Amino acid sequence: MPAYNQDNIFHKIINGHIDCDKVYEDEHVIAFNDIQPAAPVHVLVLPKGEYCSLDDFANDAPADVVAHFFKKVRDIANDLGLSEEGYRVIANHGANASQTVHHFHMHILGGRLLGGLIAGDALNR
Ligand code: 5GP
């Protein structure tokens, strides 16, 4: 996996150099609305530490930071009112998942019936 590159858009959002529509922030985590929402609710949740994807976050981050992060994903989904009707969380790692921003983030998607696990496309076989 390539080394973390500070020249990514989420690093700039975390450092306040680029604006975001913030949903939640604490010492270790920031969450904001996706600029191109794929569902009525589409929030991105990021650890503030420099991790490229789930792969190095789960491997390298301190256990309490990992635990806090996943608890916050749950709390944010709950605070967004998604828990009763349901929601999906997605983390893309690498090329086959079409990861476009190489700072680890989880997508929280909800607000409508989301359908199958992977959107219907020609590659889905
Ligand atoms: P990935 O494909 O890496 O899992 O997801 C990256 C996500 O970041 C995409 O859903 C994309 O719409 C979102 N995104 C890219 N640039 C920005 C930005 O500048 N601001 C916000 N809020 N979201 C962004």
Side-chain angles (χ1 to χ4, degrees):
M1 164 178 307
Y4 185 85
N5 182 348
Q6 293 186 337
D7 198 27
N8 75 76
I9 194 95
F10 291 171
H11 190 267
K12 293 172 185 164
I13 288 175
I14 290 166
N15 289 319
H17 296 140
I18 291 182
D19 283 343
C20 69
D21 183 11
K22 198 183 300 177
V23 170
Y24 176 82
E25 183 169 18
D26 65 27
E27 185 187 352
H28 294 292
V29 172
I30 187 169
F32 48 84
N33 285 308
D34 196 291
I35 204 167
Q36 281 193 294
V41 179
H42 187 170
V43 169
L44 303 172
V45 188
L46 290 59
K48 289 185 173 177
E50 297 184 355
Y51 304 101
C52 296
S53 78
L54 177 67
D55 187 86
D56 56 335
F57 179 66
N59 201 49
D60 300 342
D64 59 333
V65 171
V66 175
H68 175 75
F69 176 80
F70 283 101
K71 180 156 171 35
K72 282 300 152 193
V73 172
R74 177 267 175 204
D75 289 348
I76 291 164
N78 199 46
D79 291 348
L80 290 166
L82 300 176
S83 294
E84 187 147 335
E85 298 210 325
Y87 61 92
R88 181 171 293 158
V89 292
I90 296 173
N92 293 317
H93 165 74
N96 270 0
S98 304
Q99 182 180 4
T100 57
V101 181
H102 296 273
H103 179 111
F104 174 50
H105 53 281
M106 293 204 78
H107 301 250
I108 300 175
L109 296 152
R112 67 167 168 82
L113 185 60
L114 295 168
L117 186 59
I118 301 175
D121 63 62
L123 299 173
N124 190 15
R125 266 155 236 277

